[in-house]
Amino acid sequence: MVDVAKRAGVSLKTVSRVVNGSPQVQPELADRVHAAIAELGFRRNHLASALRSGQLTATVGLLIEEIANPFYATIAGVVAETAREHDTLLFTASSEEDPVREELLLRDLCARRVDGLIVVPAGYDHGFLRSEVERGLPVVFLDRPGGGLVADTVLLDNRGGTRAGVERLLAGGHRRIAVLLDSVGVYTMRERLAGAQEALAAAGIPYDPTLVREGVKDPATAAAVVAELSDVDAYVCLNNRITVGALQELVRRGGDAELLGFDDFELSYLMPRPFTVIAYDPKELARRAADLLFARIAGDETWPRTEVLPTHLIERGLR
Amino acid sequence: MVDVAKRAGVSLKTVSRVVNGSPQVQPELADRVHAAIAELGFRRNHLASALRSGQLTATVGLLIEEIANPFYATIAGVVAETAREHDTLLFTASSEEDPVREELLLRDLCARRVDGLIVVPAGYDHGFLRSEVERGLPVVFLDRPGGGLVADTVLLDNRGGTRAGVERLLAGGHRRIAVLLDSVGVYTMRERLAGAQEALAAAGIPYDPTLVREGVKDPATAAAVVAELSDVDAYVCLNNRITVGALQELVRRGGDAELLGFDDFELSYLMPRPFTVIAYDPKELARRAADLLFARIAGDETWPRTEVLPTHLIERGLR
DNA sequence: GCGTCTTGTGACAACGTTGTCAGCCCCGCG
DNA sequence: CGCGGGGCTGACAACGTTGTCACAAGACGC
């Protein structure tokens, strides 16, 4: 900027005014400055600008589990689009479900002075963000509640969705119902399991521990578990990776066991067998979180909110 | 930092040394400083640090078409992971195939003083980046070549892949072959079309313009085009959205026309009908671009490279 | 012709941090 | 006892920008 000022024969401050579109500059000078900027290829340093003016950095951070996962990719897409509507750039980072990594990344984002954070929590304690939040950093938790911190939260109706799905299975006369889940360490899995449990208990089905399978981490494991549990009326899969594995095994084996899966997925309507998904709108989930965040950034200082998004049942697959 | 210094009864500089882990500080003083940092909840401002030290910002930018698209999501995942390995944070931005938006976003990223850029080009002229590149900003173009700028580029063997696929169709005795593509305005489409054309011309098949359908933007259009072209031996779909639409129509209609699609996609092995995909490893594509970028950031000043990734044919779908 | 206001411009300090360098103290050596 | 050197510490300036304020020049009213 100093070089531009010298070249245009004006002061530093006048260049600053021109760069910031201040109207208080004579057109003739402004032209000289613009010419000098073009000749020297000057680009204003947004970092220095934000530092001096103490204003917002026009940057937000999104911390998710894994960008490559289509669910999180959809979320990232919506958040990126909302950010762009607010002329804001987006940092994207993946925790890979590692709380240590989560904390490191969040601290790093804070060090970059982001204007706000959207976080899909991996860990249980986000108290390390408290001092930032107290200084006015808006944080929105997405998909799962954060720990040790009062902040806006946007969740799915995991419990109600699974309950409704299992109730439909029960209404269809099914009694021997297996539940496959990843890990009860994950909030969404606990809630979904609780929903299934509520429906089964309400129907008077006795608890059979052999029908609840935890630790189903991937489609291959899901297929193996389904193969092993062959005398079952219906399989409830608490996420879509599990659903896909179960589906593959049921297609291989044949038969008419029912399949209920949490999360819809791409091309589910083309799967070679009917099944039911507990679906929701991931875009709406992300949109709410992003809107909440930018409302906070714009100065909304009402009490922290928790929003819960409904789910609904959809029949999928070719019949 | 001033407050921390006062509280710990040391100078500003000593706090700076402690924060940066300089060994030249007496343990006793360092402890006092650490205590003050904890009490005040001090977090070093990375922006100011980068400004003063003139060093790298430990930030890179990734500009893709659309994060929500699984192909780009995979790329973003690999780039994010590589960035993390280099303790670098990642800006992700979507051009939505709009060259104007692309330029705005890239300029904005430069204003944030990113250490490097990975760009999936939307526009044809990236000359506006020249002054940055001349000042040492590394830029890597991914999936398509950039325009008006000499820079590292990582591409797919679009032409060779399609040629090999069509040659296989020809070897299978197919002669009436339709080609469905999005827009010849897109580099990858032009290359893939050229590959198909090379194979067909080499086999002496006369050019039939009614069998080359441009403007197939989505699965629904693809399905409609396939429905219309019912007297065809084989359909060549130049991206996976087109493949999915064609597949749906072929499943509906039945028959034994061959289907060849560029790009593999998730769950393709579960599709209710056999077909062939021209596949490649999108992670490898991204990994190469990211490695190239970080090598440049680390000081690699060899001539700009263009790397071309091979493709291969895979049989998909249930038989 | 004088004071006052408006408009445009620039000098200077400051944002939060780090590089440079000077200075202090203490040790060991001749 | 004096001197050189190493180990720590701090004062100060600087990174690139903008806020504050002062000032100059012209317009206006009386």
Side-chain angles (χ1 to χ4, degrees):
Chain A
M1 212 149 132
V2 175
D3 298 339
V4 172
K6 279 193 190 129
R7 180 134 192 162
V10 298
S11 80
L12 192 58
K13 183 67 208 184
T14 298
V15 178
S16 171
R17 275 189 266 257
V18 171
V19 167
N20 290 294
S22 163
Q24 319 232 60
V25 178
Q26 281 196 340
E28 187 208 341
L29 282 194
D31 288 348
R32 289 221 309 269
V33 170
H34 278 129
I37 286 175
E39 285 164 27
L40 297 172
F42 167 82
R43 297 284 158 85
R44 171 232 223 151
N45 184 331
H46 183 273
L47 275 52
S49 169
L51 175 61
R52 170 63 240 232
S53 66
Q55 288 165 5
L56 300 176
T57 54
T59 301
V60 296
L62 172 68
L63 185 80
I64 56 193
E65 272 193 0
E66 188 202 352
I67 307 183
N69 178 321
F71 170 63
Y72 294 113
T74 305
I75 286 176
V78 172
V79 174
E81 181 55 31
T82 312
R84 204 206 54 84
E85 286 163 13
H86 291 84
D87 289 317
T88 293
L89 242 36
L90 178 69
F91 277 120
T92 328
S94 295
S95 66
E96 310 291 343
E97 299 212 55
D98 177 353
V100 175
R101 188 160 157 178
E102 174 182 49
E103 179 168 348
L104 285 173
L105 288 168
L106 288 175
R107 282 183 188 275
D108 207 353
L109 288 165
C110 290
R112 256 61 168 213
R113 295 298 187 266
V114 293
D115 299 335
L117 286 171
I118 295 182
V119 180
V120 178
Y124 293 108
D125 181 20
H126 299 84
F128 59 89
L129 285 176
R130 191 167 307 130
S131 62
E132 316 286 343
V133 171
E134 280 165 6
R135 274 176 231 173
L137 178 76
V139 175
V140 178
F141 289 115
L142 181 60
D143 194 44
R144 306 169 194 173
L149 197 62
V150 178
D152 294 316
T153 307
V154 181
L155 302 172
L156 277 183
D157 184 14
N158 290 289
R159 190 182 287 237
T162 316
R163 189 173 51 224
V166 173
E167 281 166 358
R168 182 182 289 190
L169 293 176
L170 291 163
H174 302 287
R175 285 296 173 272
R176 209 168 147 69
I177 297 176
V179 181
L180 282 66
L181 64 149
D182 183 348
S183 158
V184 285
V186 179
Y187 167 82
T188 49
M189 289 294 133
R190 282 199 303 279
E191 287 293 303
R192 293 170 192 179
L193 179 59
Q197 186 182 320
E198 282 173 20
L200 293 167
I205 310 273
Y207 173 54
D208 180 351
T210 63
L211 292 183
V212 176
R213 295 302 183 96
E214 207 206 335
V216 184
K217 297 280 180 197
D218 51 54
T221 313
V225 170
V226 169
E228 184 198 330
L229 292 172
S230 53
D231 60 337
V232 158
D233 291 341
Y235 300 87
V236 180
C237 303
L238 297 191
N239 72 31
N240 60 13
R241 287 203 313 275
I242 300 175
T243 307
V244 167
L247 197 57
Q248 198 170 5
E249 171 60 19
L250 289 177
V251 168
R252 199 194 60 72
R253 181 212 295 173
D256 59 355
E258 286 267 1
L259 181 62
L260 171 71
F262 209 107
D263 297 328
D264 200 358
F265 50 93
E266 225 198 349
L267 302 183
S268 59
Y269 62 92
L270 271 180
M271 292 295 107
R273 173 192 208 287
F275 63 110
T276 305
V277 293
I278 301 161
Y280 53 89
D281 185 354
K283 290 190 179 180
E284 176 63 16
L285 194 71
R287 171 62 70 170
R288 289 206 193 186
D291 286 347
L292 215 40
L293 184 71
F294 282 101
R296 296 293 181 193
I297 292 174
D300 176 354
E301 301 204 334
T302 54
W303 281 80
R305 290 197 277 282
T306 293
E307 301 191 2
V308 177
L309 214 71
T311 62
H312 47 275
L313 300 172
I314 306 181
E315 304 300 324
R316 291 296 195 197
L318 303 170
R319 338 223 118 237
Chain B
M1 212 147 136
V2 175
D3 298 340
V4 172
K6 277 192 191 134
R7 180 135 192 161
V10 299
S11 80
L12 192 57
K13 183 66 209 184
T14 297
V15 177
S16 171
R17 274 190 267 257
V18 171
V19 167
N20 289 294
S22 163
Q24 319 232 61
V25 179
Q26 281 195 338
E28 187 207 342
L29 281 193
D31 289 347
R32 290 222 307 269
V33 170
H34 278 129
I37 287 176
E39 285 164 28
L40 297 171
F42 167 82
R43 297 283 158 86
R44 169 228 222 157
N45 185 330
H46 185 272
L47 276 52
S49 169
L51 174 62
R52 168 63 239 232
S53 67
Q55 287 165 6
L56 300 175
T57 55
T59 300
V60 297
L62 172 67
L63 186 79
I64 55 193
E65 273 193 1
E66 189 202 351
I67 307 183
N69 178 321
F71 170 63
Y72 294 113
T74 304
I75 287 175
V78 172
V79 174
E81 182 54 30
T82 311
R84 204 206 55 84
E85 285 164 13
H86 292 85
D87 289 317
T88 293
L89 242 36
L90 178 70
F91 277 120
T92 326
S94 294
S95 66
E96 310 289 341
E97 298 211 57
D98 176 354
V100 175
R101 189 161 157 177
E102 174 182 48
E103 179 168 348
L104 286 173
L105 287 168
L106 288 175
R107 282 184 188 276
D108 207 354
L109 288 165
C110 290
R112 254 75 167 201
R113 295 300 187 265
V114 292
D115 299 335
L117 286 171
I118 295 182
V119 180
V120 177
Y124 292 108
D125 181 20
H126 300 83
F128 59 89
L129 285 177
R130 191 167 306 129
S131 61
E132 316 286 343
V133 171
E134 281 165 5
R135 274 176 231 174
L137 177 76
V139 175
V140 178
F141 289 114
L142 181 60
D143 194 46
R144 307 169 193 172
L149 197 61
V150 179
D152 294 316
T153 307
V154 181
L155 302 172
L156 277 183
D157 184 15
N158 290 289
R159 192 182 286 236
T162 317
R163 188 172 53 223
V166 173
E167 281 166 359
R168 181 182 290 190
L169 293 176
L170 291 163
H174 302 286
R175 285 296 175 271
R176 205 164 151 70
I177 297 176
V179 181
L180 283 64
L181 64 149
D182 183 347
S183 159
V184 285
V186 180
Y187 167 83
T188 49
M189 290 293 134
R190 285 199 303 280
E191 287 293 302
R192 293 170 192 180
L193 179 58
Q197 186 182 319
E198 282 173 20
L200 293 167
I205 310 273
Y207 173 55
D208 179 350
T210 63
L211 292 185
V212 176
R213 295 302 183 93
E214 207 207 336
V216 184
K217 297 281 179 197
D218 51 55
T221 313
V225 170
V226 169
E228 184 197 331
L229 292 172
S230 54
D231 61 335
V232 158
D233 292 341
Y235 301 87
V236 180
C237 302
L238 297 190
N239 71 32
N240 59 13
R241 286 202 313 274
I242 300 175
T243 308
V244 167
L247 196 57
Q248 198 170 5
E249 171 61 18
L250 290 177
V251 168
R252 200 193 59 73
R253 182 211 293 171
D256 60 353
E258 285 267 2
L259 180 61
L260 171 70
F262 209 107
D263 297 329
D264 199 358
F265 51 93
E266 225 198 348
L267 302 183
S268 60
Y269 61 93
L270 271 180
M271 292 295 107
R273 174 192 205 285
F275 63 109
T276 305
V277 294
I278 302 160
Y280 53 91
D281 185 355
K283 290 189 180 182
E284 176 63 16
L285 193 71
R287 172 62 71 170
R288 289 207 192 187
D291 285 347
L292 215 41
L293 184 71
F294 282 100
R296 296 294 182 192
I297 291 173
D300 176 355
E301 300 203 333
T302 54
W303 281 80
R305 291 198 278 280
T306 293
E307 301 192 0
V308 177
L309 214 71
T311 62
H312 46 277
L313 300 171
I314 306 182
E315 304 300 324
R316 290 297 194 196
L318 303 171
R319 305 199 161 255

